[in-house]
Amino acid sequence: MLRWTVLVAIACFGCGRCGGVQTDEGTPRSEAPDPEAPAGAQGEPLYDANGDLLPSREVVAGLTLPRGLTKRPLAGERRHVYVTQVPLAKVQAYFGPRLITGQVDRVGAGAVFRRAVPREARGGVVHLDVGVYPVPRGGARVEIYELPPVPQNQPPPEELMRRFDEEQRRLD
């Protein structure tokens, strides 16, 4: 009887159903989140198991923002500005795979994704300029500018030339 009790206890402990999760090393680890892992404003973890930023519930023009961003009042109708204490490299790594663009400009340590389209956007797609810049005390600033749509009924070239000439005369 003692032998069966020991075998059942070993089986229960080894399968991870007694409060732990079996790791590759064979030692159980707790299911509770790491108390040292940084958390967002709502207490949600910022990073996944691989150390990558997790998406938030906030979406701008079809682009899901990462956790840990704080909106700044500098924003306008088509301009959205956020700051975070998350390292610049982590923020850039979050946006890179989520944006489809043919042009990424380096601005010092920062980057600007030009005329980008969110990979997850459906329907009426809005082109964005997404800038991710370092801030002096660490962290990053994210600026999202929704580019205005191209006019559907463009004036003929002659009209554009006339407007250009008129504007040049006004400037002189």
Side-chain angles (χ1 to χ4, degrees):
M1 179 69 176
L2 179 61
R3 185 181 296 172
W4 282 106
T5 306
V6 171
L7 289 175
V8 169
I10 291 172
C12 179
F13 184 73
C15 74
R17 293 187 183 176
C18 297
V21 175
Q22 193 72 20
T23 64
D24 293 338
E25 296 83 30
T27 57
R29 79 181 150 149
S30 174
E31 294 257 4
D34 182 7
E36 299 301 316
Q42 286 77 25
E44 300 173 319
L46 294 178
Y47 304 103
D48 64 11
N50 297 327
D52 298 326
L53 276 172
L54 290 167
S56 70
R57 292 184 183 95
E58 189 165 356
V59 178
V60 172
L63 176 63
T64 302
L65 301 179
R67 292 182 185 177
L69 296 183
T70 303
K71 190 164 184 148
R72 303 301 298 176
L74 306 170
E77 182 179 334
R78 291 186 172 270
R79 184 172 179 238
H80 311 272
V81 180
Y82 300 86
V83 293
T84 182
Q85 291 301 310
V86 173
L88 177 67
K90 295 277 188 188
V91 179
Q92 288 175 340
Y94 177 87
F95 284 110
R98 288 172 171 76
L99 295 167
I100 301 169
T101 183
Q103 182 179 357
V104 179
D105 295 336
R106 299 301 293 180
V107 180
V112 180
F113 302 86
R114 303 274 183 202
R115 294 200 52 77
V117 175
R119 194 172 293 277
E120 61 201 30
R122 301 290 180 257
V125 176
V126 176
H127 287 83
L128 307 169
D129 279 351
V130 179
V132 182
Y133 309 101
V135 293
R137 289 181 225 116
R141 182 179 82 243
V142 177
E143 293 185 15
I144 302 170
Y145 180 67
E146 298 176 41
L147 299 173
V150 177
Q152 295 298 323
N153 299 325
Q154 284 190 304
E158 299 80 25
E159 175 64 18
L160 292 174
M161 287 302 292
R162 186 190 67 72
R163 290 181 189 174
F164 177 76
D165 291 339
E166 184 178 303
E167 191 66 31
Q168 290 300 315
R169 275 190 295 258
R170 208 176 318 175
L171 291 174
D172 290 338

